Amino acid sequence: MRKALLGLIFGAFLAFGGAATAQSVVINEVFTGNPDYVEITNFGAASVDIGGWALHSSFGFSAYPIALIPPGTVLAGGQTLLMLELNSSLPPTLPAPTLDTLVEHSGFSWGWVGNSSGAVVLVDAVGAGRDMIVFGGSSSVVPGNGFGATFTGTIDRTANDPATDNVIQRTTSLDTGAAADWSQGTDADATPGALNATQTAGPIGIRSLRLDDQGGVIQFSGPAGFSLGGTIKSIVTTTGVEIENPLFDPLIGGAVSITGQYTVSDAGTLQGLTLAPATLTLTATGLNPDSLNFINLYQSQTNVLAELGGAQGATPIRYRRVTSLAPVSPQRQGSGSAALDALQSALPASGAGLTFRLESGGARLIEFSTAFEAMPSDWDASFAPAAPGQVEVGVVNAAGTELYHLFVINPSYALGTGPVAGIDFGPLQFEMAISPLGTAPYHVLPAADGTYHFLSPAGLVPPGWTLDFLAVRLVAGVLEVLPPQRATF
């Protein structure tokens, strides 16, 4: 997630509702069929004059002529321009674009095919790169080296069918400059002149700020005082996009600090915690001053949640959410962070919440949220190698159920293709795998909070073994099976 030009990076702020500028205009879809087209969309709120802008393209090791956008072309907020090859029209098999879609023609054939490699670079009227994608291989020629726009990774085109898999689409309304922004599909997925299936109109809001999990331990001082701090590691949008690039917004790498009074009956689990009044301050880096703060009353939720994590990824880690009880009235000082702008407008409507991970060293603040999720209903199970020859198994959100764990040694089928729930039981594999791992008769019960954890002795599994793991739960007389998992030791 890297942008070479600071101005380009801050242009992505438009997705969070900042003032519209030219940087809100991005490449949104590429069609490599016949005829080829590139779709350019303005995700900002205001119109942008893109006259004199250009699309540079390449096919493998060859750069193609430049497709110029005529002077005076203005792209309104939410509007799209299609650049079609030659002077062709869209084929009747594709959806017709909306009436407000602008259509231009390159006047030449760019020569893209479904299984090709290449790049597309959007360049503004002064020659600065605004957006870019690279597809098919890292060795593809990038015209002008991107003209200042960079792209992390490439879009893999090795598995596509060149006859039908011609669509490369941006998956959200937010540009992070990474291959993860994009997906591929068949001709039936093409949406010329329209938003893609996973996009929404209008600015993207912020769902949460994730903190560095090495900081943020709550400190209780005296009979009633507390304080805590943390560093903002990433921003998560309402559509689930997570941004970790500190150049994207100065709030990433900034600080969260909370001070106030408290009452708590159990400091270890934050049971009965009330923070009142609590002053929470979010401070961006590199700008002086630029902060958002408010005073509110917080109270812990009764539910203790759990997620699978830890060094091996299969340890149930408990956490508790603490939510604001009164309307939030944030106070803003300074400017420059679009994320803080979005929070300032969203908090009064959604409230605020703090998520604490419950660790042996104390409750650690890991997230500041503007929307709150209900108690998870989906259960999850995972297993992973720990120390050499050691197996770790973890289950979360399985309260009130019975659990069954099945292991298979050195399966002969590809994962998920075996004849029994996607796994392959050989004549000796069942007993040999289950008994040594301590799960005989392979029936266990989760703890009251729905978690289960098992860690085998080290050296139990010989080197070179492959194990398939299957988790089954019985709830209300119904068997539910998770997809099998595989690990090699």
Side-chain angles (χ1 to χ4, degrees), residues 415-453:
L415 182 64
T417 63
V420 181
I423 64 175
D424 168 33
F425 283 118
L428 298 177
Q429 290 175 339
F430 183 88
E431 181 178 356
M432 289 177 62
I434 293 297
S435 297
L437 291 173
T439 57
Y442 64 87
H443 174 212
V444 297
L445 296 176
D449 64 357
T451 63
Y452 169 78
H453 184 244

Side-chain angles (χ1 to χ4, degrees), residues 124-169:
D124 66 17
V126 297
R130 295 293 183 175
D131 195 19
M132 178 174 69
I133 67 169
V134 181
F135 54 93
S138 58
S139 60
S140 300
V141 166
V142 177
N145 289 324
F147 297 92
T150 60
F151 188 73
T152 303
T154 61
I155 300 170
D156 185 6
R157 300 282 281 166
T158 57
N160 70 311
D161 181 345
T164 59
D165 300 339
N166 292 302
V167 178
I168 308 174
Q169 293 176 318

Side-chain angles (χ1 to χ4, degrees), residues 96-261:
T98 58
L99 294 178
D100 66 341
T101 301
L102 304 181
V103 178
E104 298 293 342
H105 296 87
S106 68
F108 58 86
S109 172
W110 288 346
W112 284 327
V113 294
N115 60 353
S116 68
S117 60
V120 184
V121 185
L122 177 64
V123 179
D124 66 17
V126 297
R130 295 293 183 175
D131 195 19
M132 178 174 69
I133 67 169
V134 181
F135 54 93
S138 58
S139 60
S140 300
V141 166
V142 177
N145 289 324
F147 297 92
T150 60
F151 188 73
T152 303
T154 61
I155 300 170
D156 185 6
R157 300 282 281 166
T158 57
N160 70 311
D161 181 345
T164 59
D165 300 339
N166 292 302
V167 178
I168 308 174
Q169 293 176 318
R170 186 179 295 278
T171 54
T172 75
S173 311
L174 180 65
D175 175 27
T176 69
D181 292 346
W182 296 85
S183 67
Q184 300 187 76
T186 66
D187 292 14
D189 298 313
T191 57
L195 293 177
N196 300 328
T198 54
Q199 293 177 325
T200 56
I204 295 178
I206 292 177
R207 186 177 71 192
S208 63
L209 307 176
R210 291 184 177 163
L211 276 62
D212 185 345
D213 56 11
Q214 300 303 310
V217 176
I218 188 169
Q219 300 290 328
F220 295 107
S221 57
F226 81 93
S227 64
L228 61 85
T231 301
I232 300 169
K233 182 180 180 181
S234 63
I235 294 173
V236 182
T237 72
T238 51
T239 55
V241 176
E242 184 169 6
I243 304 127
E244 298 179 322
N245 186 353
L247 293 179
F248 184 88
D249 188 295
L251 191 58
I252 301 175
V256 174
S257 61
I258 307 177
T259 58
Q261 305 298 306

Side-chain angles (χ1 to χ4, degrees), residues 1 35 51 94 143 183 188 230 245 255 390 406 452 474:
M1 301 179 182
L94 297 184
S183 67
N245 186 353
Q390 187 176 25
L406 310 179
Y452 169 78
L474 176 63

